């Protein structure tokens, strides 16, 4: 299998950077019949990463965004606990406020988007049922 050969060459350090592209092409072409819409399916990635790397904005992107904002708020709270300089604390408070507002806005937007998508699906199902 040419995918295995390319991966073995890369592990041995004898391949160039251009061979990485051939590994991706070989892996995606070997599984092209399985999932034509997702060329990353044959790379053996975890499912959450595969969903994140798929074209379009899926649930994985929203989950990653939410988790990263929650981690940002946690880091800022930790920094506020350990930093004693009043000038730095002022900036941390401002940044924490902005991060919290952004988190609330993202949560609101994702909720509205999901409800609009559900509403659209229900409307389409109702129209299909009429026909």
């Amino acid at each position: 299998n040419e995918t295995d050969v390319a991966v073995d060459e890369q592990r041995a350090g004898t391949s160039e950077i251009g061979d990485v592209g051939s590994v991706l092409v070989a892996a995606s072409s070997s599984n092209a019949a399985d999932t034509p819409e997702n060329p990353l399916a044959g790379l053996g990635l975890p499912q959450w990463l595969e969903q994140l790397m798929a074209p379009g904005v899926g649930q994985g992107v929203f989950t990653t965004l939410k988790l990263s904002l929650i981690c940002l708020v946690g880091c800022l709270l930790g920094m506020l606990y350990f930093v004693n300089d009043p000038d730095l604390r002022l900036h941390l408070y401002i940044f924490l406020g902005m991060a919290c507002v952004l988190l609330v806005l993202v949560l609101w937007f994702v909720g509205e988007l999901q409800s609009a998508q559900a509403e659209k699906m229900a409307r389409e199902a109702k129209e299909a049922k009429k026909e």
Side-chain angles (χ1 to χ4, degrees), residues 14-113:
T14 60
S15 64
E16 296 295 323
I17 292 176
D19 286 340
V20 174
S22 65
V23 170
L24 293 175
V25 170
S28 64
S29 65
S30 65
N31 290 336
D34 297 340
T35 55
E37 70 277 351
N38 191 355
L40 300 174
L43 294 178
L45 298 174
Q47 185 179 5
W48 65 270
L49 184 58
E50 195 171 298
Q51 290 174 354
L52 183 64
M53 301 297 284
V57 180
Q59 187 61 34
V61 173
F62 291 131
T63 303
T64 303
L65 180 60
K66 290 177 199 176
L67 289 176
S68 63
L69 288 173
I70 289 170
C71 289
L72 174 64
V73 169
C75 287
L76 290 171
L77 288 172
M79 289 176 71
L80 278 170
Y81 181 76
F82 289 108
V83 172
N84 294 324
D85 184 15
D87 291 333
L88 288 177
R89 289 180 66 86
L90 173 69
H91 288 88
L92 289 173
Y93 279 123
I94 292 170
F95 194 34
L96 178 64
M98 291 171 36
C100 289
V101 168
L102 181 61
L103 178 61
V104 168
L105 288 175
V106 165
L107 292 174
W108 171 79
F109 176 77
V110 170
E112 288 295 315
L113 179 65

